[in-house]
Amino acid sequence: MKFFSYLLILLILPVTGAFNAVESDKKETLIKKWVFVDSNDQGILYKSHAQLKEDKGGMEFMRDGTMVVRQNAGWCGTPPITYANFPGTWTASSKKEVALEYEYWGGTIKSTMTIVKLDKNELLVKFERNELIRSND
């Protein structure tokens, strides 16, 4: 009976390690610069680029848990829109959910981003919860 217990443990350990490797690979795939492409019922689509675009929104995820969000620099959304980079942090709370906290022109945003699709070229997400914390300036 002991033999079968040890055998079972030896078979289970590599399998659980494989799940961690998949999660780690997803996290590695997320760590790059993403530029906004489109928004529809499925979510918000970003494409991987070498640099964030001056005239488009986007996000950059870094290994140390920090991020840069490129978004509207002011309260007005009427074109022409001026974009700016805002600092923030990110934490993978599950395989598909990422907790974000970043600044915007009026304070801080706390959000949960659900990953619908992620590969080396495309990121499709939905923002499930947003909390706006206004600055008192």
Side-chain angles (χ1 to χ4, degrees):
M1 184 68 176
K2 272 188 175 180
F3 173 75
F4 289 113
S5 297
Y6 290 127
L7 184 60
L8 184 61
I9 289 171
L10 288 174
L11 291 174
I12 291 175
L13 284 176
V15 173
T16 57
F19 287 119
N20 290 337
V22 170
E23 221 171 292
S24 178
D25 288 347
K26 282 248 186 219
K27 199 171 178 180
E28 280 299 311
T29 304
L30 185 62
I31 298 171
K32 57 177 69 172
K33 295 174 180 79
W34 299 99
V35 175
F36 173 81
V37 174
D38 193 20
S39 175
N40 60 36
D41 292 342
Q42 293 180 339
I44 301 171
L45 179 64
Y46 296 88
K47 293 263 185 180
S48 174
H49 283 274
Q51 296 297 323
L52 294 175
K53 303 286 182 181
E54 198 170 304
D55 61 343
K56 286 190 175 193
M59 300 180 285
E60 179 181 5
F61 295 92
M62 291 165 261
R63 266 186 191 78
D64 65 358
T66 60
M67 69 182 300
V68 172
V69 178
R70 183 153 186 81
Q71 60 189 348
N72 192 339
W75 59 270
C76 183
T78 305
I81 294 175
T82 303
Y83 291 89
N85 291 340
F86 294 89
T89 58
W90 68 278
T91 306
S93 51
S94 75
K95 209 174 355 179
K96 293 204 175 235
E97 285 193 351
V98 179
L100 309 174
E101 184 171 340
Y102 55 93
E103 295 177 17
Y104 76 105
W105 58 267
T108 302
I109 295 175
K110 289 183 179 181
S111 182
T112 300
M113 179 178 82
T114 300
I115 298 172
V116 178
K117 177 187 175 190
L118 173 61
D119 62 34
K120 66 180 185 174
N121 298 316
E122 289 187 345
L123 171 64
L124 181 63
V125 299
K126 287 187 176 183
F127 289 93
E128 303 298 331
R129 293 183 291 273
N130 281 324
E131 179 185 350
L132 297 175
I133 303 164
R134 301 250 182 216
S135 63
N136 293 330
D137 296 340

